[in-house]
Amino acid sequence: MRFEYKSELSIYTEKLMDGRLLFAGFQDNGTTIYDYNDFKDKPSFDLTIDGESLYYGWRFSDFASDRDELGNTTGTLMLKHAWKPIQLKVITSCCGFGFFSRSMEIVNLSEETAIGLTNVTPLKGCLWSITDNVADNLRDDTVAPYSVGRFKDLYWANEGNFAWQDVPVNTGIFFNSTFGMSGHGSPFFYSAQQYQRRLLRVPDGLVL
């Protein structure tokens, strides 16, 4: 079962298969991918209950789509877990201009058993797939394969303090604020891939 979301030329595809909602592909050129090109083993979200990751064991319950006055579409996928008393709504909104947003509603269906929410990652996956050797793709081995561009300052009148940061191979990075709020920072960052010189603008809060 496949679900496809379109926002301008950006197309995000998911597949519900073997009890898992999988990230199938992301295209930024308006062309739908074929089924045989889908990613096969990349969960599109993570929900951890009582310390256990529930990226598996889901059954389809319902799907509905709505369109607002601007023509933007929101798809609501309802899933039920096979052995946990949990109902999950996965709400994906196509916000226009190539942007997507996602939220999740988690319902405990049991009146007797309490559940503890450990962690939620509403959206995850793979933006670019590089199947060849890293060294063969990079023209210059002194250049990091990926970089992230972000606005570094949260203070007033410093919103234009923008900088790029290299991301080495097999390295994860994150940015946060000790203020407990977004401050005056920009609500997005840029991710650049040096292999094909591709650039992606990402809303703040998306896990890559």
Side-chain angles (χ1 to χ4, degrees), residues 9 12 21 23 36 39 72 92 117 138 146 163 186 193 197:
L9 293 179
Y12 173 66
L21 186 63
F23 169 88
Y36 62 81
F39 288 99
N72 298 321
T92 307
L117 182 60
L138 284 175
Y146 299 96
S186 178
Q193 185 232 68
R197 303 296 180 184

Side-chain angles (χ1 to χ4, degrees), residues 104-199:
M104 301 174 73
E105 295 182 7
I106 306 161
V107 179
N108 182 5
L109 300 177
S110 173
E111 296 182 356
E112 301 176 354
T113 304
I115 62 174
L117 182 60
T118 306
N119 180 65
V120 178
T121 304
L123 184 62
K124 59 187 294 187
C126 177
L127 293 177
W128 298 297
S129 175
I130 301 297
T131 58
D132 300 326
N133 186 278
V134 172
D136 294 336
N137 281 276
L138 284 175
R139 298 185 181 93
D140 183 356
D141 59 7
T142 64
V143 177
Y146 299 96
S147 58
V148 172
R150 65 186 180 99
F151 294 89
K152 298 174 60 177
D153 213 312
L154 299 176
Y155 293 99
W156 175 86
N158 288 278
E159 294 88 348
N161 186 7
F162 184 88
W164 287 95
Q165 178 173 335
D166 290 339
V167 183
V169 177
N170 298 323
T171 301
I173 62 173
F174 70 94
F175 308 108
N176 61 359
S177 168
T178 57
F179 293 133
M181 57 182 181
S182 62
H184 295 275
S186 178
F188 67 89
F189 63 90
Y190 286 98
S191 178
Q193 185 232 68
Q194 306 299 340
Y195 298 106
Q196 293 104 5
R197 303 296 180 184
R198 301 179 69 181
L199 184 69

